[in-house]
């Protein structure tokens, strides 16, 4: 029987060839100034048989940086340097959205313009460590954004979205997951503001919806998606009532004509860590609250993806680590071929090794003679 995963699907103005999504994957192959490289274009070209590629998290402004060598979308030079990537994906018949990113407190002065402190909703330090050009160190204490600064950050989101369209992306994904700036506003463990952006859930979600509206104004709602991660613990983020929070957000995302809502299942976290105490699936809870395409991510393989599509809990499934290691992942699913294993050591190292040198099935067979 043909796989549901490989059937076409309508998403915004596009008819996608299949229901596989290449998950956003930070790989640190841009320059230190945030300029995409030719290697990045080649990496996405190789993976263009995904129904949809979501780009690696891409900075809206220099202040959003929390990882070295990550690309941005604030300058003409970055727009020019992204074009070979979007053109390569289109030439192969694929589609690519840009994931728009601001890390907030998950940063360090070494990664910030003029060595300033990172910004966050509140002056609450992230727990854990950050890679800086001079080594791995603790996240730095952030300063709280003043209310007057918030419109400027929202405007950065809108400008980056407009830049993404100029660069040839098919749309944008608002990165509201994984304990970064928007998630910091959402979750009460990181947001103790006393103004209209803190306190009750409606207030904590205000920043998210303002950023979303900036993206919609730049791209049109049907070219805007969003990524959420209920129960993620990245950087020590937590909320006293995460389901109530995310249910509020999912409801609020409905009725806007968005391209999609993309949700990471709590069972798997970046880096392969697992939360011991949370087995529930986000999709059955959140999908009924949202009126558009639902993308499920996190720990899926061929069978799990077919199952969630058959259950009707998702419309598309995103794959992270298996797309890193298998440029021809949809074909491997179609023919039930074995997958290349991924190499964690090369996730964030410079150069082509572990990035553009994973073979397709045909290349591996040819090499084996
Ligand atoms: C990630 N993930 C991630 N998520 C995100 O929203 N933006 C990003 O830039 C990244 N970067 C990133 C880099 C690397 C090397 C890994 C392994 C993961 C999370 C990713 O999109 C996905 O949600 C997880 O990998 C879980 O899915 P899989 O790998 O189990 O299919």
């Amino acid at each position: 029987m043909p796989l549901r995963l490989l059937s076409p699907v309508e998403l915004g103005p596009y008819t996608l060839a299949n229901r596989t999504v290449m998950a956003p994957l930070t790989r640190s192959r841009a320059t230190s100034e945030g300029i995409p490289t030719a290697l990045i274009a080649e990496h996405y070209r190789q993976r263009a048989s995904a129904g949809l590629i979501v780009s690696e998290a891409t900075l809206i402004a220099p202040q959003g940086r929390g990882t070295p060598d990550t690309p941005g979308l604030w300058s003409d030079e970055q727009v020019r340097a992204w074009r070979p990537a979007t053109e390569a994906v289109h030439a192969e018949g694929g589609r690519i959205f840009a994931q728009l990113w601001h890390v907030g407190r998950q940063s360090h002065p070494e990664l910030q313009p003029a060595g300033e402190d990172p910004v966050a909703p509140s002056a609450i330090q992230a727990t854990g460590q950050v890679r800086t050009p001079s080594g791995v160190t603790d996240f730095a204490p952030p300063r709280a954004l003043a209310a007057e600064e918030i419109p400027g950050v929202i405007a950065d989101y809108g400008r980056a979205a407009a830049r993404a369209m100029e660069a040839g992306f098919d749309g944008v994904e608002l990165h509201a997951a994984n304990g970064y700036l928007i998630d910091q506003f959402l979750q009460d463990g990181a947001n103790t503001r006393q103004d209209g952006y803190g306190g009750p859930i409606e207030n904590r979600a205000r920043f998210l919806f303002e950023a979303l509206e900036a993206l919609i104004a730049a791209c049109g709602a049907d070219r805007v998606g969003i990524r959420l991660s209920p129960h993620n613990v990245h950087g020590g983020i937590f909320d006293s009532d995460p389901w109530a929070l995310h249910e509020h957000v999912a409801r609020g995302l409905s009725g806007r004509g968005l391209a999609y809502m993309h949700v990471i299942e709590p069972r798997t976290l970046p880096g392969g860590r697992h939360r011991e105490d949370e087995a529930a699936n986000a999709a059955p809870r959140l999908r009924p609250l949202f009126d558009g395409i639902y993308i499920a991510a996190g720990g899926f393989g061929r069978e799990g993806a077919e199952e969630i599509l058959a259950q009707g809990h998702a419309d598309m499934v995103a794959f992270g680590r298996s797309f890193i290691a298998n440029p021809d992942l949809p074909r491997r699913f179609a023919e039930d071929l074995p997958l290349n294993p991924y190499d964690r050591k090369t996730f964030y190292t410079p150069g082509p090794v572990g990035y553009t040198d994973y073979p397709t099935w045909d290349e591996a067979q040819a090499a084996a003679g």
Side-chain angles (χ1 to χ4, degrees):
M1 213 175 71
L3 295 180
R4 286 172 202 264
L5 193 54
L6 299 175
S7 64
V9 61
E10 306 285 323
L11 178 138
Y14 309 113
T15 302
L16 305 180
N18 61 63
R19 292 167 189 264
T20 67
V21 177
M22 179 179 166
L25 294 158
T26 291
R27 304 301 306 281
S28 291
R29 261 74 172 189
T31 70
S32 56
E33 288 82 41
I35 315 288
T37 55
L39 208 54
I40 290 180
E42 174 60 8
H43 175 74
Y44 289 122
R45 187 196 64 73
Q46 292 173 342
R47 287 157 182 77
S49 65
L52 178 68
I53 294 173
V54 182
S55 82
E56 63 209 277
T58 298
L59 306 170
I60 61 166
Q63 190 192 55
R65 183 183 282 122
T67 308
D69 306 331
T70 44
L73 268 169
W74 66 82
S75 73
D76 289 340
E77 194 182 355
Q78 288 164 335
V79 167
R80 272 196 302 276
W82 267 117
R83 280 203 190 111
T86 59
E87 285 165 7
V89 170
H90 293 155
E92 300 286 333
R95 296 284 180 190
I96 180 166
F97 275 40
Q99 190 188 46
L100 299 185
W101 193 30
H102 188 310
V103 302
R105 69 181 188 172
Q106 289 199 47
S107 188
H108 189 277
E110 267 200 58
L111 296 163
Q112 290 289 307
E116 288 174 15
D117 291 335
V119 298
S122 302
I124 303 172
Q125 191 171 347
T127 56
Q129 298 207 305
V130 55
R131 276 188 301 132
T132 71
S134 59
V136 174
T137 184
D138 286 351
F139 288 117
R143 73 173 175 84
L145 279 166
E148 311 81 72
E149 290 178 281
I150 289 181
V153 182
I154 299 294
D156 285 340
Y157 276 102
R159 266 194 301 271
R163 293 287 203 179
M165 301 315 282
E166 258 182 80
F169 284 98
D170 297 297
V172 293
E173 177 178 285
L174 184 62
H175 194 347
N178 297 352
Y180 295 116
L181 183 64
I182 295 180
D183 211 8
Q184 289 157 31
F185 271 93
L186 285 177
Q187 303 210 35
D188 58 13
N191 180 351
T192 55
R193 295 179 75 92
Q194 306 288 320
D195 62 6
Y197 293 93
I201 285 174
E202 296 71 32
N203 283 4
R204 285 184 273 127
R206 186 183 311 273
F207 186 83
L208 178 154
F209 286 112
E210 289 185 1
L212 188 76
E213 284 304 322
L215 268 46
I216 291 172
C219 309
D222 60 351
R223 290 177 171 82
V224 174
I226 183 166
R227 192 168 216 224
L228 301 167
S229 58
H231 292 270
N232 184 292
V233 295
H234 221 66
I237 195 100
F238 67 92
D239 191 79
S240 56
D241 195 351
W243 284 125
L245 174 65
H246 285 87
E247 285 168 7
H248 171 82
V249 170
R251 272 191 217 100
L253 292 170
S254 283
R256 295 172 192 255
L258 293 178
Y260 64 83
M261 181 165 87
H262 183 178
V263 183
I264 307 170
E265 287 294 333
R267 59 194 179 163
T268 305
L269 297 166
R273 291 171 296 121
H274 291 261
R275 260 183 83 97
E276 305 290 324
D277 59 342
E278 180 54 61
N281 279 344
R285 292 185 84 121
L286 299 183
R287 201 257 163 102
L289 306 178
F290 178 67
D291 62 0
I293 292 287
Y294 188 101
I295 303 175
F300 284 96
R302 183 178 186 267
E303 312 312 324
E306 278 302 286
E307 190 181 317
I308 196 167
L309 294 176
Q311 288 165 338
H313 293 322
D315 303 292
M316 299 183 74
V317 181
F319 304 89
R321 290 162 293 179
S322 40
F323 249 121
I324 288 178
N326 296 275
D328 56 347
L329 189 63
R331 185 214 166 165
R332 292 190 190 227
F333 285 151
E335 298 175 32
D336 204 8
L337 300 170
L339 302 187
N340 298 326
Y342 58 84
D343 176 13
R344 188 179 299 281
K345 292 191 303 298
T346 53
F347 278 176
Y348 306 110
T349 48
V353 176
Y355 189 58
T356 50
D357 63 350
Y358 284 107
T360 62
W361 178 256
D362 288 341
E363 287 163 354
Q365 296 312 105

